[in-house]
Amino acid sequence: MTTAARAVVDTAALRHNLAVVRRSAPASRVMAVVKANAYGHGLADVARALADADAFAVARVEEAVTIRDAGLENRIVLLEGVLRPDQLPLAASLGLEPVVHSPEQLEMVETAELPSRLFAWMKVDTGMHRLGFPPAEAVAVARRLDACGRLQGPPACMTHLACADEPDPGFTRDQLTVFAEAVAGLNGELSVANSAAVLAFPETHQDWVRPGIMLYGASPFPERSGESLGLRPAMTLTCPLIAVKDVAPGGRVGYGGTWQASRPARIGIAAIGYGDGYPRRLESGTPVRVAGQMARTAGRVSMDMIAIDLAGVRDPRPGDEVMLWGPGLPVEDLAARAGTIGYELLCGVTQRVDVSYV
Ligand SMILES: *Cc1c(COP(=O)(O)O)cnc(C)c1O
């Protein structure tokens, strides 16, 4: 028996979720977003499982290299482009497709010495004010990219939505209108939709959709679960119970003694904590499963351990499996309890967690 926390990634769930994307956006090609170590699920293995995707999207050149090293030849988009000129020849030789979002990157492309021509994406800022050219400059930027002789074809055009997960469609519609006007007359492919827009705004689908979180089975919407959207959680996070003890009425549990037994209590100690990415800000009373049975945490999360109130768990023993999130225990529900989103919990699973694939 190991005391390590384990994340088991269900590759069939990943493929199922990709199929949900395809059903939701049947006329679009799919760029599977696998940045941040595939949202914590393990980049190389996830990319292999999703090899049917038409392209991958990553945030860093190093992530793209990992995908090539895994033997995959899919198109790969660098969502933030490159930061240094010397990354462009590497991008060209690996067939990576940088986003060009700033005047500095535009100049780098125009002056690059490349082993072969690049495919590039131009990013337009339609109101999020993170990356991208002002809409009024889009046509001029595309012309310069066309004219510089470094590209394989016209740049594809993309923008990113700030509010597609919100019930009010107003801001998303405004962004779409701005984008349509900015790229009118250009003939590159278009891409707008993240997961929320794949599911909620068919008019954003266009040539390429860019789903991330929904591939991993978590909902992009604060109000809805992944399961209610037909998604299957890809990651199940578990750890073993390592001790079971009785605490008399009045006894306190954990740092600060914040949980106090109001009855003779049976407490289980499980081998996971914030050192594994189980957030300390999850309050006492957070649901977990012990050997398949519902239970709740008792007191504060420690670095390597949590305590669980085993009331209602039949015959608990050290070695029993504790599930922290997974099917039936959505990571996005826990995230809401911790004041964050499922994305952050999934990305926050730390190095010492043993990840395996089924
Ligand atoms: C991360 C990211 C996505 C994917 O977003 P999800 O909400 O995870 O679907 C799409 N496009 C860009 C530019 C991104 O940075």
Side-chain angles (χ1 to χ4, degrees), residues 272-291:
I272 196 161
Y274 59 81
D276 303 285
Y278 189 76
R280 185 174 178 279
R281 47 192 197 287
L282 278 172
E283 286 178 0
S284 187
T286 298
V288 297
R289 295 254 163 112
V290 179

Side-chain angles (χ1 to χ4, degrees), residues 130-190:
R130 200 171 63 175
L131 297 181
F133 291 96
E137 293 175 17
V139 169
V141 172
R143 292 229 173 89
R144 276 175 63 179
L145 285 168
D146 263 339
C148 77
R150 268 46 174 203
L151 299 200
Q152 274 183 33
C157 305
M158 66 185 286
T159 192
H160 196 44
L161 299 172
C163 302
D165 58 332
E166 293 177 6
D168 180 353
F171 198 75
T172 300
R173 296 210 174 121
D174 290 350
Q175 285 195 273
L176 266 184
T177 305
V178 170
F179 187 60
E181 283 169 8
V183 301
L186 298 179
N187 45 14
E189 296 173 308
L190 305 179

Side-chain angles (χ1 to χ4, degrees), residues 31-35 39 57-59 79-80 99 123 128 130-131 158-161 165 191-198 209-216 220 343:
M31 189 187 298
V33 181
V34 292
K35 62 195 180 189
Y39 291 48
V58 296
L79 292 173
E80 295 164 22
V99 165
K123 187 160 195 180
M128 185 166 179
R130 200 171 63 175
L131 297 181
M158 66 185 286
T159 192
H160 196 44
L161 299 172
D165 58 332
S191 176
V192 176
N194 56 5
S195 297
V198 166
V209 293
R210 306 192 306 270
I213 194 75
M214 70 182 290
L215 293 172
Y216 308 98
Y343 301 68

